Amino acid sequence: MAITAVKIGKRAWEREAIRLFISLYNGLGKDYGYRLLFQQEKPDAVLEERGALRRKLGVEITHLFYSQQEAMRVFGHQTPPVPVQGEENFDHLLQELNLLIRKKIGKRRSYSMSYPIALLIRNASPGYGMSDFLARRSEILLPEDGSFTHIWFVSRDGDFQWKLVELI
């Protein structure tokens, strides 16, 4: 039961993240937008481009948390408190982001899809926002091997509005 609940919670978070992405991306006024075709395991979502070509795009989705304890609290598990966040602790969150990207690159290598794959990272840690990441963007270790056609980052930034940035 617990494993099923975690999978359902994870799937719901992924659905929320992809819908948020689609809303933000389509709101940018690009020549085309996306719609969700379906969710699955590998990759997490498949989108379809709106417009004449209707190309598919696979999206691997991940959520950035400050720590495993923070993630467990979000998913309803009791954990000890996390230390108060300060300037020195953003380094830790940046390391977590780089670790997530490396993990997703490894996972991507196991896919054999007929369509391109993108990565969507949603910052789920409330202590830091988009401007914190953009100020240290050069420290985000992005793949140079073409693993992903795009890497998008979604985060709040000092308010309740979500923001979208394309890292590659």
Side-chain angles (χ1 to χ4, degrees), residues 1-10:
M1 273 296 210
I3 293 172
T4 304
V6 169
K7 282 187 178 182
I8 291 170
K10 179 181 179 273

Side-chain angles (χ1 to χ4, degrees), residues 52-66:
L53 297 179
R54 296 193 172 281
R55 292 179 287 210
K56 288 183 181 176
L57 176 68
V59 181
E60 185 64 28
I61 303 165
T62 191
H63 288 83
L64 175 64
F65 291 98
Y66 184 80

